[in-house]
């Protein structure tokens, strides 16, 4: 039984490291989007806000990992960031970059929500109240961003199409 608990604790630690890498990936994605968006100020403002939240989320995870006696994985963080940078570079070449970024962001938020729900279930099962608390805080921020994106898909799409119909280069970013 003690071996099963040890394996479960190790699994939680692995998942926390994965979540940290996920947040570093999100940070890279959001930083790139914020820097490139020029003509959608409300989207840029919300991305900037979520970028700060994401940085706090990564720090909370780092603190939880340290409290549990572990450390983050520099390799996982680096690979996640490099992958996102490559995706961002490809997306920046698209004529509909803002729409591709909106789709990527919406998808990634739901990925994060799923990851945090699994982590919360694991931490709660293992009786780790403090980790469960910080994971719930991160989850709430991800759900808020996902809801904001969901509520703004229609108006942002309409705005993009209006710019495009007017032949404006403003449509892209």
């Amino acid at each position: 039984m003690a071996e099963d608990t040890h394996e479960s604790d190790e699994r939680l630690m692995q998942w926390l490291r994965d979540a940290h890498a996920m947040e570093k990936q999100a940070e890279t994605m959001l930083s790139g989007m914020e820097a490139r968006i020029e003509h959608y100020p409300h989207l840029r403002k919300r991305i900037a806000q979520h970028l700060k939240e994401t940085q706090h989320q990564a720090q909370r995870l780092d603190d939880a990992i340290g409290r549990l006696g572990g450390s983050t994985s520099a390799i996982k963080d680096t690979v996640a960031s490099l992958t996102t940078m490559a995706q961002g570079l490809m997306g920046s070449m698209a004529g509909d970059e803002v729409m591709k970024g909106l789709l990527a962001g919406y998808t990634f938020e739901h990925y994060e929500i799923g990851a945090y729900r699994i982590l919360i279930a694991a931490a709660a099962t293992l009786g780790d109240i403090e980790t469960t608390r910080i994971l719930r805080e991160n989850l709430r921020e991800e759900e808020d961003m996902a809801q904001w994106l969901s509520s703004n898909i229609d108006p942002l799409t309409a705005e993009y199409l209006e710019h495009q119909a007017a032949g404006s280069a403003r449509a892209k970013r």
Side-chain angles (χ1 to χ4, degrees):
M1 184 74 170
E3 186 64 32
D4 291 342
T5 301
H6 176 72
E7 286 179 22
S8 295
D9 289 342
E10 285 298 317
R11 179 62 64 195
L12 176 62
M13 181 63 73
Q14 179 185 358
W15 288 346
L16 288 168
R17 286 184 185 116
D18 290 346
H20 187 269
M22 172 183 74
E23 292 303 348
K24 297 310 263 182
Q25 182 178 7
E27 185 177 341
T28 301
M29 180 178 69
L30 291 166
S31 294
M33 286 177 65
E34 181 191 19
R36 289 189 307 272
I37 291 174
E38 300 171 25
H39 306 292
Y40 301 84
H42 53 290
L43 176 59
R44 185 176 187 181
K45 181 179 176 185
R46 187 58 177 100
I47 287 171
Q49 176 188 339
H50 194 55
L51 175 58
K52 287 179 183 151
E53 292 169 346
T54 298
Q55 291 163 338
H56 289 130
Q57 290 167 7
Q59 185 59 55
R60 284 183 211 121
L61 289 165
D62 191 31
D63 293 347
I65 290 166
R67 185 176 43 77
L68 296 172
S71 61
T72 60
S73 171
I75 293 171
K76 285 183 181 186
D77 289 353
T78 301
V79 169
S81 291
L82 290 174
T83 301
T84 303
M85 286 171 46
Q87 290 168 340
L89 179 61
M90 290 186 307
S92 70
M93 294 181 219
D96 60 347
E97 179 183 359
V98 72
M99 298 310 298
K100 296 250 185 324
L102 183 61
L103 176 60
Y106 184 80
T107 302
F108 200 78
E109 291 306 320
H110 286 85
Y111 173 79
E112 289 176 302
I113 288 167
Y116 280 120
R117 286 185 176 165
I118 289 168
L119 276 164
I120 289 166
T125 298
L126 294 171
D128 187 339
I129 296 166
E130 180 59 18
T131 300
T132 301
R133 184 193 65 73
I134 68 113
L135 293 169
R136 284 190 175 134
E137 190 173 350
N138 285 8
L139 174 62
R140 182 190 51 76
E141 291 171 351
E142 299 302 355
E143 289 174 334
D144 288 349
M145 184 60 178
Q147 179 57 47
W148 188 92
L149 288 169
S150 182
S151 297
N152 283 274
I153 286 174
D154 289 356
L156 284 166
T157 301
E159 186 177 354
Y160 169 82
L161 292 172
E162 287 170 15
H163 287 313
Q164 185 186 36
S168 172
R170 296 172 61 103
K172 179 179 179 173
R173 295 186 183 157

